[in-house]
Structure formats: structure tokens, C-alpha cells
Amino acid sequence: MLAIANSIIPAEARQSLSYLADYVPFSTSGITFKPLSGHIDVYAYCTSDTLVLAPNIPQRYVDLFTQRGVSYCFGTTPVGEDIDSVVAYNVATNSRIAVHNFKKTDSVVANIIHDLQHIACKQSFSRCSTLLLTDAAITSDRGIAKELQKAAIDVLYVSPSEIALPGYRCGCFGGCCGVVENKVVVCGSMDFHPQGNDIRTFIDNHGFQIIELAHFPLLDVGSIFFVKTER
């Protein structure tokens, strides 16, 4: 299994992540806004079985995925410096629901999620903003929280003010996280967030174990994608 995550992840977190999967440091240059250049959730949509890749994702990652037997296909939207292209793959999903501004969803991703319950929102960075569990969600976007509540989904809103994203005033909760099996993997420690204990309890109550990779404030790294390999 691979764990694809931003190359800026501090060494302590990288080491912890490597115990769970083979860490793939992700970075790009000259394609999109620099603060988002290492965000895999800008360049790909991830399901439990496959990746949908932006057609202009650096070739070295396509080669790696091919070598490791990762299932992938290409979307139709190249990532650039316009907002529509930056958010085209940033869709939050689980086995039942999809959350996004669906006017901006890449067409290949839209086809894959066609049969899921669609929860539309204005926030186009829905994957970055939201962690979806099996039957619940944690989000740092109030608009998404409102739409999830309308759909009778148990949701915890967390303040983004204590979440770091270099280059921006603050980050988003979903961008700190990845899910593998029944584990929520978080880049940072809940000890530094004022709602940390509430977040831990919420995750535990919904049947997931939380793994905090290192003892530093929560860091939005553009999500952590865990993907299956054949070799």
C-alpha cells in the first residue's frame, strides 16, 4: 500500500506514516498556486479501488503507479491556476455520499460518483474541508456542515483557526487527514486544537481509531491518500 502525501510533511510524521504504508512524497512545480503544489487532493480523486489523475500530473507519479500496480485512470481537467481546475478533483466521498460543488466536478469523477447521494455545497474544496467516516463527518466549513445536517448525517464542525496551511491564514480539517481501513490518520496532534478531545471522541464513537502522526499543530497537507498496490 502507498501513502501519498505532501513532501513538506515533517520528518517525525513521515516516519510514523511509513509504519502504515510506503510513503510517497508528493510535489509539483509551475502548475498551480505554490501553497497547493504538494496537495494530492488537487491533482487526484481517490476511491478505495482507484485513482482519477489530472492529465497533467507529473509523469514520475504515473510511472510509479504503473510500476506498483496501482489502479488509475485520467480525468479530463488539467490542473492550473484557475479555481475551477484546482477544485475539479477535490470531492469528498464515502461509500454512500458525495459532497462537492458539482458544477465544478471533473467529468470522469462525476461519472464515478453518479450513483452516490449527492450533497451539493458552495465550498468547492470539499475534500480538503471534510473528513467523511462511514456514517458521519467532520468538517471545518460551516456551509458543508449545514448541508450534511439537512441530510441527517451526524456532523462535527471544527474551527479551522488552529489548522496550519503555509501560505494561507489557516487550513482545513480534511486536508490533515487520510483514512485506511478503520483508522483516521492525522498530520499533527489534537493536543494543539481547542476541540481536540471532542474530535477524538467523535471519531472513536463512530468506530474509528485515530492515529496522530506527530506532536505538532494540525497541518493541512492536502490530504493523505492510501492506495492499494498489486506489487
Side-chain angles (χ1 to χ4, degrees):
M1 179 171 285
L2 303 180
I4 311 166
N6 204 319
S7 62
I8 70 167
I9 288 179
E12 182 184 355
R14 292 186 189 191
Q15 183 176 3
S16 299
L17 191 58
S18 69
Y19 295 136
L20 300 171
D22 293 338
Y23 168 56
V24 177
F26 187 79
S27 64
T28 67
S29 179
I31 298 176
T32 192
F33 311 110
K34 188 174 180 180
L36 305 180
S37 61
H39 286 214
I40 186 61
D41 61 15
V42 166
Y43 287 87
Y45 166 74
C46 184
T47 74
S48 58
D49 299 314
T50 194
L51 288 171
V52 180
L53 306 174
N56 61 336
I57 194 171
Q59 185 63 37
R60 64 184 180 275
Y61 296 110
V62 180
D63 293 342
L64 173 64
F65 299 150
T66 301
Q67 292 164 6
R68 293 298 301 270
V70 172
S71 173
Y72 68 84
C73 64
F74 290 100
T76 61
T77 310
V79 173
E81 291 190 342
D82 60 293
I83 191 64
D84 286 0
S85 73
V86 173
V87 302
Y89 303 94
N90 203 262
V91 186
T93 58
N94 59 19
S95 61
R96 188 166 61 89
I97 67 171
V99 183
H100 202 222
N101 180 342
F102 297 106
K103 296 177 182 178
K104 301 181 184 296
T105 309
D106 176 79
S107 61
V108 174
V109 177
N111 186 59
I112 289 174
I113 67 175
H114 180 267
D115 293 332
L116 299 180
Q117 177 187 355
H118 281 43
I119 298 176
C121 59
K122 293 181 180 179
Q123 172 58 266
S124 300
F125 286 102
S126 60
R127 172 64 184 85
C128 197
S129 298
T130 308
L131 172 71
L132 289 180
L133 304 175
T134 305
D135 59 355
I138 303 174
T139 184
S140 52
D141 183 87
R142 290 192 183 278
I144 291 178
K146 183 178 179 180
E147 295 305 319
L148 289 168
Q149 288 169 344
K150 286 181 183 178
I153 293 168
D154 191 14
V155 58
L156 175 67
Y157 169 79
V158 300
S159 170
S161 61
E162 301 299 323
I163 300 172
L165 174 54
Y168 291 97
R169 182 176 59 83
C170 60
C172 303
F173 184 77
C176 305
C177 304
V179 177
V180 56
E181 298 173 343
N182 69 330
K183 301 177 180 66
V184 173
V185 180
V186 183
C187 189
S189 170
M190 297 301 170
D191 288 346
F192 296 90
H193 196 285
Q195 295 168 267
N197 287 335
D198 293 337
I199 296 168
R200 287 176 177 136
T201 299
F202 188 87
I203 290 171
D204 181 68
N205 286 346
H206 285 279
F208 284 77
Q209 173 188 355
I210 187 169
I211 296 177
E212 299 166 44
L213 292 177
H215 197 68
F216 54 74
L218 297 181
L219 178 62
D220 181 347
V221 293
S223 304
I224 303 169
F225 282 3
F226 290 92
V227 298
K228 296 177 183 177
T229 60
E230 294 297 328
R231 49 187 176 271

